[in-house]
Amino acid sequence: MDNTKRHSRIVAHFVNGFAKGWYMAVKECYRNELDIKYTERKKNKQSFWEWTQGPYFSFSKGHVFYDTPNAYRKWAEAIKDIKIACQITSATPTILDRNKNLIEGMVEFTIYEPDKNFTSLKAVKSYKLSQKEFVNFLQTGALKE
């Protein structure tokens, strides 16, 4: 299968505004960064629209993710439910080069955990992953040491 074509097996289904079953609470507003688009398709000369998946992940600097949707409540309450958060410090998108080869983008990010008083988040460790590996982290929470 051509890895640059769009297909109907999307990486995230959104329920109540968040990616269902993902470790990190990824909001629906990140569809574009996940390269999920509502696309017109044709079957038997009939036109229809469906969500499709592409390979061009494009998370960028400043994006912040928490491991719970509860993180979006008032901070004094929210921080009590957060186990980890991550903030992207640098990123490049996945692109096609001149020869139509897929060039995997990179994501550098820092993991944060609540301090012992649950008043703020403290930086724990930084990582550098491909955009695809970063999506896997958002889905599973797994990071290679």
Side-chain angles (χ1 to χ4, degrees), residues 29-62:
C29 63
Y30 287 105
R31 265 198 175 110
N32 197 49
E33 286 80 357
L34 289 165
D35 197 14
I36 298 173
K37 300 193 181 332
Y38 203 52
T39 310
E40 186 174 16
R41 311 296 290 262
K42 290 195 185 304
K43 189 174 186 178
N44 301 325
K45 298 182 183 177
Q46 286 291 101
S47 217
F48 65 98
W49 289 81
E50 71 176 346
W51 290 106
T52 61
Q53 181 68 58
Y56 304 105
F57 297 133
S58 60
F59 289 95
S60 54
K61 181 179 177 176

Side-chain angles (χ1 to χ4, degrees), residues 70-120:
N70 293 340
Y72 297 95
R73 299 184 316 201
K74 287 186 177 167
W75 189 246
E77 295 302 312
I79 195 166
K80 294 173 186 166
D81 289 336
I82 296 170
K83 291 181 191 71
I84 70 164
C86 76
Q87 181 173 24
I88 298 175
T89 54
S90 174
T92 57
T94 298
I95 58 168
L96 280 181
D97 69 8
R98 283 189 209 122
N99 300 317
K100 305 260 191 248
N101 296 312
L102 198 64
I103 305 299
E104 187 71 46
M106 298 303 292
V107 177
E108 293 181 46
F109 63 100
T110 302
I111 295 289
Y112 293 84
E113 292 176 350
D115 63 11
K116 65 179 191 275
N117 298 322
F118 290 95
T119 55
S120 66

